[in-house]
Amino acid sequence: MRLLVVEDNKDLARQVAEALKTAGYAVDVAHDGEDGHFLGDSEPYDAIILDIGLPVLDGITVLSRWRKAGRMTPVLILTARDRWSEKVAGFDAGADDYLTKPFVIEELLARVRALLRRAAGNASNELTCGPLSLDVRGARATIDGAPLKLTALEYRLLAYLMHHQGKVVSRTELTEHLYDQDFDRDSNTIEVFVGRLRKKLGQDMIETVRGLGYRFSPPPRSGATEPTPHA
Ligand code: CA
């Protein structure tokens, strides 16, 4: 999952970005409304954290432009304390959630998890697929109850695939959602990470769909029969 943080307070932006990276996300940062608008308009983020008081272009304008252009990315706005009008303007412009400054980083992380969960249609922070289970709160995965050792990028890949179970996901889509802007994409290709993940998960959970990409689904159980559909 890849996130954008638009915040002109550089210390706060760095703090938020670090916490999000530690939690397993790829993160890009913009320090003014113009850069933020451009990135949100051109890169497919899974969620955006947007400060309202921004130089060059304010957060409400940025958000309104994204929404007018049809960008449906979940957006959490950061508002100043006691500015109820900012919250109202933010929601009217298309915000999905808000957080008032100053905030505790854990609350931001929880709200981001909730946004991503809702966007993917999941009710819980624990995603499962056959023997595999992923706890997005702790960025941990287990297989048949045993902890799975994953690098940051393998975790990110697995989390994205699990959020999009059963759907075909292209290599381009994975590249866009796993790597931040500064990442050296050429020497770290998706194929390599898929290969490593397959070694850890078993070969049959990540199916290669020729010419299209990958599909993540539970491994077929030997001897299992097709469930009878209810009328
Ligand atoms: Ca600000």
Side-chain angles (χ1 to χ4, degrees), residues 31-224:
H31 296 300
D32 67 57
E34 195 176 15
D35 286 352
H37 173 261
F38 174 77
L39 282 175
D41 204 39
S42 50
E43 299 289 329
Y45 294 103
D46 295 292
I48 297 174
I49 293 129
L50 176 69
D51 185 29
I52 292 301
L54 287 171
V56 192
L57 209 58
D58 70 273
I60 300 290
T61 307
V62 170
L63 181 53
S64 308
R65 287 189 187 174
W66 285 335
R67 295 304 189 226
K68 264 188 205 125
R71 308 254 170 270
M72 300 307 291
T73 316
V75 172
L76 174 118
I77 53 169
L78 304 177
T79 68
R81 212 155 78 100
D82 300 332
R83 292 270 191 88
W84 65 267
S85 58
E86 280 188 350
K87 291 170 204 158
V88 173
F91 278 117
D92 283 345
D96 299 278
D97 198 3
Y98 75 91
L99 203 51
T100 306
K101 290 179 183 178
F103 53 83
V104 179
I105 224 73
E106 280 70 22
E107 183 173 0
L108 177 88
L109 294 174
R111 287 182 182 276
V112 167
R113 284 195 296 271
L115 282 183
L116 294 171
R117 201 165 65 211
R118 257 179 263 143
N122 296 314
S124 145
N125 280 319
E126 180 126 351
L127 306 177
T128 56
C129 183
L132 190 66
S133 167
L134 187 96
D135 179 2
V136 298
R137 273 166 313 187
R140 274 189 301 265
T142 57
I143 191 154
D144 287 324
L148 207 58
K149 267 198 127 178
L150 300 170
T151 64
L153 222 97
E154 288 164 1
Y155 171 80
R156 235 182 259 163
L157 172 61
L158 181 61
Y160 193 84
L161 290 170
M162 285 191 82
H163 273 96
H164 298 85
Q165 270 180 60
K167 294 177 197 146
V168 177
V169 178
S170 72
R171 283 184 189 84
T172 311
E173 183 177 343
L174 287 173
T175 304
E176 286 171 342
H177 288 267
L178 300 190
Y179 302 148
D180 56 51
Q181 276 194 306
D182 304 329
F183 200 86
D184 178 9
R185 298 178 183 194
D186 292 338
S187 62
N188 293 277
T189 60
I190 291 296
E191 287 84 352
V192 173
F193 291 109
V194 168
R196 286 190 200 152
L197 207 50
R198 275 186 176 138
K199 273 196 194 125
K200 294 184 180 183
L201 300 179
Q203 295 296 318
D204 46 5
M205 292 186 86
I206 309 173
E207 175 196 351
T208 300
V209 184
R210 266 187 93 91
L212 294 175
Y214 303 101
R215 183 166 39 218
F216 191 77
S217 44
R221 279 182 302 161
S222 50

Side-chain angles (χ1 to χ4, degrees), residues 7-19:
E7 167 62 65
D8 58 317
N9 178 326
K10 291 193 176 167
D11 282 342
L12 181 59
R14 187 169 2 94
Q15 232 182 307
V16 167
E18 283 311 312

